[in-house]
Every structure is written in structure tokens, then in C-alpha cells.
Amino acid sequence: MLQVLACGAVVFPGLFFAFRRVLPCVFKHWSDADVVLVSELVSSIHAAMATTAGAIVVSSCCGSVINDHWLATYFVIWYGVPYMTYDIFAMYLSHYYRYHVKGHEDYKQHSLRTINSFVRREFLLVLHHIALLTILLPVTLFFRKDQGDFFIGCLFVTELSTPFVSLGKILIQLGLQDCWLHKVNGGMVLFTFFMCRIALFPFMYWMYGRHYGIPLYSVPFHLPLSANLGNACILAPQVYWFVLLCRKGYRLYQRSRSPASSPVVAAVTDSSKDD
């Protein structure tokens, strides 16, 4: 019973709705869009859990990357899948209220039109979540034969950048986008995103090669085509989002150096979302 109550299907939606009730009492001037956006702090809680689970699995399996660890499968079933499902819902609410408070005609109430608009505007993110649900779950449960938990743990660690993204959103909501903390946080977003979502993939290939005693450049030829394609499909959107982050960071830097520019209202973390 405690296990069921603690699983992600209860924890993440419960935290989301708790934030939605508490935050308007603390910040009375916030709109529904502000409240829903910051309610996505649930992402940071999931990220902390995923990163911790990933660190445990990686440290336990680093001696032999083929070994299995119970936590890898357990976390995917009880927390990973429920969170990805919940997060699609949370992203839709954030999208809906963002346009609802602006008075858009189509956003007076929820409808198939608002859902369709959300899917079209956030297509890559929605596709990313659905791919994790339909590909990562079957691979984790059925096709890897309880091997390679080290690499599943590495994928958990990709969530390390998410708390910094959430912190950036909080600072913007509090009107602190010009403070030094926001600039430092932007740098941490770029650093953690690159290290844990891009550089991580060459590292996994290197660890695989070390385990089998083959050089890094030979690893792709040693793996089945499906594994290489899967990694490429996961890596491609990460590279795309990182380029967007770098462009936004560069614009922020340029504005901060221009004495004639208006106060900076953009942020490195403004338009990015980690899963």
C-alpha cells in the first residue's frame, strides 16, 4: 500500500495540484499562467530523484557496465513512466493558461482546438515524451534482458540540468532576472545541459568500449544498428535545444554589454524544457 501511495502516479500530480493551491496564497498578484508555470517545479523534484537514482546505478555498475541493478527497472516503472505522462498534461496546462490570460479567443475554455494548438507548438517536446514512453519503457522492461543498467542510469542523470531551468523560471517570476544569481544559473544551465545531455553519449560509448577492450571509434560498429539509431534519436533534440540555449545566452550577453539596451527580460532558461 505504501509503495502504491509513493509511486509517481500519485506523487507528481499531487505535488502539482498542491503547488497550484499554495502559490496563489503566497503570491497573490500572480496570474493562473504564473502559478501553473512555477507549479512545474515538480519537474525539479523528479529530476532530483532521477539524478540520485542514476548516480546510484552508475556507481554500482561502473565496474561492469553490463551488470543489472534493481533500481533501474524499478524507477522507470514507478516514477519515470508516470512522470512523463504527467508532464505532458502539465505542459498543456502551462500552454493553455499562457494564452488564456492574454485573452485569446480560442482559449476561453479547454477544447480539441487548444489541444491541437499545444501539440503543434510543442511538437518536439511532445514527441520526445511519447518516444520515451513507447521506446524507453519497452527497451527497459523487455528487450535488454536485464543487462546494461549502467547506461539506463546514465540516461537518468540527464535530468541534472532541469532544476537549474526551473530556478531560472522562478527568478523571472520574482522579477530577479537582472541579478547575478540569474546569470550564474544561466551558466549552470548551459554547463549541465552540455555535460549531462550531450557529452554523456560519447562517455557511454567510451565506457562500453573500455568494457570490451575496443577503441572508442570502433564502438558504433560493435553495437547493433538499432542501438546507434536509438542514441541518435535521443541525442538529436538535445543538440537542437542546446543550440537554442546558446543563442539565447549570447543574446543575453550582448544586451548586458549594451548600455543603451532596455532592461533584460529574456533568460537562458526562458524557452527550454528538460525531460
Side-chain angles (χ1 to χ4, degrees):
M1 182 64 178
L2 290 177
Q3 188 180 45
V4 174
L5 291 176
C7 77
V10 175
V11 170
F12 300 126
L15 287 172
F16 179 81
F17 288 110
F19 278 129
R20 288 199 65 187
R21 283 189 170 273
V22 172
L23 289 174
C25 299
V26 178
F27 303 98
K28 299 184 182 300
H29 63 285
W30 278 11
S31 67
D32 287 335
D34 296 324
V35 173
V36 171
L37 178 65
V38 180
S39 293
E40 292 184 41
L41 280 171
V42 178
S43 299
S44 295
I45 297 173
H46 168 263
M49 296 172 63
T51 302
T52 302
I56 293 172
V57 173
V58 168
S59 61
S60 300
C61 300
C62 62
S64 176
V65 297
I66 304 302
N67 286 350
D68 69 304
H69 192 286
W70 66 270
L71 186 56
T73 301
Y74 179 91
F75 189 86
V76 169
I77 296 174
W78 288 99
Y79 295 99
V81 172
Y83 170 75
M84 287 298 167
T85 306
Y86 145 80
D87 200 40
I88 295 176
F89 171 72
M91 288 191 301
Y92 165 72
L93 286 184
S94 180
H95 167 85
Y96 173 81
Y97 282 111
R98 186 165 66 248
Y99 289 95
H100 177 74
V101 298
K102 294 179 181 179
H104 283 248
E105 186 69 23
D106 293 338
Y107 288 83
K108 290 184 177 180
Q109 61 183 6
H110 299 283
S111 65
L112 289 177
R113 182 176 294 182
T114 61
I115 295 174
N116 182 56
S117 175
F118 161 69
V119 173
R120 285 189 289 105
R121 290 177 181 271
E122 305 292 347
F123 177 76
L124 188 57
L125 276 173
V126 173
L127 179 63
H128 173 259
H129 281 61
I130 292 176
L132 291 177
L133 287 170
T134 57
I135 297 175
L136 181 61
L137 174 61
V139 168
T140 302
L141 296 181
F142 307 115
F143 297 116
R144 63 188 182 88
K145 300 177 181 178
D146 292 328
Q147 294 182 334
D149 282 6
F150 173 86
F151 304 107
I152 301 296
C154 286
L155 294 178
F156 290 166
V157 175
T158 60
E159 291 291 331
L160 182 61
S161 61
T162 301
F164 297 104
V165 174
S166 297
L167 177 59
K169 293 179 179 179
I170 295 172
L171 293 174
I172 292 172
Q173 296 304 109
L174 296 176
L176 299 176
Q177 61 266 27
D178 294 325
C179 71
W180 64 269
L181 179 59
H182 184 264
K183 296 176 181 178
V184 172
N185 183 71
M188 289 301 298
V189 170
L190 293 175
F191 176 75
T192 54
F193 198 98
F194 176 79
M195 294 300 296
C196 296
R197 290 179 178 259
I198 296 178
L200 181 69
F201 285 85
F203 169 73
M204 289 193 293
Y205 274 62
W206 177 75
M207 287 295 292
Y208 182 92
R210 191 183 75 163
H211 177 81
Y212 285 104
I214 57 177
L216 177 61
Y217 63 83
S218 297
V219 171
F221 305 102
H222 193 267
L223 292 171
L225 179 61
S226 58
N228 289 313
L229 288 177
N231 286 326
C233 290
I234 297 174
L235 179 60
Q238 312 303 327
V239 173
Y240 171 74
W241 286 322
F242 183 71
V243 171
L244 294 183
L245 286 171
C246 289
R247 288 179 177 175
K248 186 168 283 292
Y250 179 73
R251 290 197 299 269
L252 179 65
Y253 173 76
Q254 290 292 91
R255 291 172 183 173
S256 67
R257 289 179 59 87
S258 175
S261 64
S262 58
V264 177
V265 294
V268 170
T269 58
D270 219 7
S271 60
S272 65
K273 178 82 165 74
D274 295 344
D275 311 334

